[in-house]
Amino acid sequence: MYKTINVWIGTHAVDALAFDNIIPIDAVFTCDYGDDVNSIGKQKFVISLEKQINLKYSWNNFHLNYLFSGELGTRIIEYLSTLEGFVNLICYSSSGSLEMILEKQKFRAKINYCALGIREKMFFDDKFLLHYRLKSLNEKTLPSVIKTSGELNYSSLQKRLESDQFVMKLPISSAGGKIFLVTNQTSLDEIQVDHYSHTVLFQKYQKGISINLQGVISNSNMSFFPPSVQIIGPAECSYGKFDWCGNDFFAVTQIPKLLLDEAKHLAFRIAIDMKSQGYKGIFGLDMLIDVENELVYLLEINPRFQGSTSLLTQLEVINGLDAHILNRHISALSSDEIYNRDYLASSFLCNASQ
């Protein structure tokens, strides 16, 4: 009988190191290369894009595709071809290049691709589509307009968005990238230099508390996990006002219970809609809590692991939870009898449905 092989695929090897303390990680395909790779490399099969090209870089989820092309892609195919039994490819985010390999190559092992399909990922990742979807669901949205960037000037946006400050967003981004603050015509001009002909989303800038709430959708249920406050834009660890720098799970206790409950109810409603459209696996919801006006807005759906997922999983394990978010995610996307089990809905789910 073969054991289940777990392969971690992500931009940062530190996630593999964190998850290895929870479930055994047998191989790591990563973009970066540092001390965390060295600490696991002696015991596991490791492929690093950064080591291969000898270049330090600020990698993002798009760069995962580079792992599966050229010489690195060949090495990965060769490694997977040596495996037998059942293999979980646990991907931080979807990769079209990896999906192409899995479609074209035949392996002796049964490969379980633990990620949303790239087409579905792009659909749920799209901020424009989310804006229209929220409208159709009668959910609250901030004043917004979707237009070609060069068609609008600052004064026209002031009138349409009823605000002196607004953000400009491209349809797909992560970790706060490709989101820009507009405060006057000069700042808009600077942004339009690179995005004049791009279709963008302009949205009223609203001060508030940014939170992230994670969940998992399977065939038969939905599970939700404790929210956290997102650390956004501090100069010590970011380049821009909206750059993500981490999560604080304790800070959530400072948010009024009424608003936190509304955020959970909103997450439940959105997850029902996602499930109706065929979504399966892990996801994260970025929300804005407007404490002054007692309102909660959904800003983004992240159809992938979150930057804080490894920390959340460790907290769950410390508290003795076997049905933690990582196991639930693998279970939702797996046909392996070891993992293919529907865990009972969490108490969060029960509270959200009341």
Side-chain angles (χ1 to χ4, degrees):
M1 182 175 179
Y2 300 106
K3 76 164 189 171
T4 297
I5 301 294
N6 295 310
V7 179
W8 173 259
I9 301 169
T11 52
H12 304 297
V14 67
D15 290 317
L17 187 61
F19 284 127
D20 190 44
N21 294 322
I22 299 165
I23 66 170
I25 301 295
D26 301 279
V28 179
F29 306 157
T30 180
C31 290
D32 66 357
Y33 187 81
D35 291 339
D36 43 15
V37 178
N38 291 328
S39 63
I40 60 178
K42 296 178 181 179
Q43 303 170 343
K44 306 176 192 304
F45 181 81
V46 177
I47 285 182
S48 164
L49 174 61
E50 199 166 89
K51 182 179 180 181
Q52 175 73 16
I53 65 176
N54 193 29
L55 173 69
K56 287 286 184 182
Y57 193 72
S58 179
W59 307 106
N60 60 44
N61 295 326
F62 173 78
H63 296 121
L64 288 177
N65 291 308
Y66 296 161
L67 282 168
F68 305 103
S69 60
E71 182 180 340
L72 288 183
T74 301
R75 288 176 59 195
I76 287 174
I77 292 173
E78 291 174 349
Y79 170 74
L80 294 177
S81 298
T82 67
L83 304 178
E84 297 180 335
F86 195 88
V87 178
N88 286 319
L89 300 183
I90 308 171
C91 306
Y92 184 94
S93 185
S94 310
S95 167
S97 296
L98 175 56
E99 288 180 23
M100 290 179 63
I101 287 177
L102 297 178
E103 288 175 4
K104 294 179 179 180
Q105 298 289 327
K106 292 190 179 297
F107 299 101
R108 286 180 294 174
K110 186 174 182 180
I111 304 291
N112 181 40
Y113 177 55
C114 297
L116 193 67
I118 189 64
R119 291 181 180 177
E120 291 82 3
K121 190 259 185 188
M122 297 295 286
F123 172 81
F124 287 102
D125 228 356
D126 194 307
K127 296 178 181 63
F128 299 175
L129 294 179
L130 175 61
H131 172 73
Y132 294 126
R133 192 66 187 165
L134 290 174
K135 289 284 190 182
S136 71
L137 295 171
N138 295 315
E139 296 290 355
K140 292 184 292 291
T141 60
L142 290 164
S144 306
V145 59
I146 297 176
K147 284 278 190 180
T148 301
S149 173
E151 292 182 13
L152 298 169
N153 57 35
Y154 179 75
S155 60
S156 64
L157 285 167
Q158 275 183 305
K159 294 175 183 177
R160 298 188 67 162
L161 302 182
E162 300 176 348
S163 175
D164 293 331
Q165 297 187 74
F166 26 89
V167 294
M168 191 187 88
K169 303 178 180 180
L170 297 181
I172 296 175
S173 63
S174 63
K178 300 181 182 179
I179 300 177
F180 309 93
L181 179 65
V182 178
T183 57
N184 51 44
Q185 184 63 48
T186 300
S187 60
L188 179 59
D189 290 341
E190 292 173 352
I191 296 167
Q192 287 177 333
V193 169
D194 295 323
H195 304 288
Y196 189 83
S197 61
H198 294 168
T199 301
V200 299
L201 170 68
F202 286 103
Q203 193 169 66
K204 176 184 177 180
Y205 173 69
Q206 177 64 54
K207 291 184 178 180
I209 302 171
S210 176
I211 69 168
N212 176 267
L213 194 152
Q214 301 183 55
V216 175
I217 297 173
S218 68
N219 284 329
S220 61
N221 65 46
M222 302 179 299
S223 306
F224 301 87
F225 300 85
S228 59
V229 171
Q230 299 196 97
I231 303 170
I232 305 294
E236 295 83 358
C237 61
S238 62
Y239 294 105
K241 183 176 180 62
F242 301 108
D243 286 358
W244 172 83
C245 293
N247 294 68
D248 188 334
F249 284 88
F250 180 76
V252 171
T253 60
Q254 307 303 307
I255 298 174
K257 183 178 183 301
L258 176 69
L259 295 177
L260 209 52
D261 287 344
E262 172 54 29
K264 295 176 181 179
H265 283 282
L266 176 56
F268 184 72
R269 296 193 299 270
I270 296 301
I272 287 177
D273 181 65
M274 293 170 66
K275 192 174 190 300
S276 73
Q277 298 180 68
Y279 194 98
K280 285 202 301 183
I282 196 169
F283 65 93
L285 303 177
D286 290 344
M287 300 182 186
L288 179 71
I289 295 185
D290 178 1
V291 177
E292 182 178 352
N293 297 302
E294 297 186 335
L295 295 171
V296 179
Y297 301 97
L298 176 64
L299 299 181
E300 295 183 19
I301 295 175
N302 302 317
R304 52 173 171 78
F305 278 72
Q306 309 300 285
S308 59
T309 302
S310 60
L311 175 59
L312 171 61
T313 308
Q314 291 179 77
L315 292 173
E316 291 181 293
V317 170
I318 289 172
N319 285 280
L321 297 178
D322 173 58
H324 50 70
I325 190 169
L326 181 57
N327 265 346
R328 288 177 184 260
H329 171 64
I330 297 174
S331 173
L333 294 166
S334 177
S335 59
D336 180 18
E337 62 181 17
I338 296 176
Y339 281 105
N340 190 17
R341 52 190 178 188
D342 280 321
Y343 293 104
L344 294 176
S346 64
S347 59
F348 180 134
L349 173 60
C350 298
N351 291 336
S353 62
Q354 291 175 355

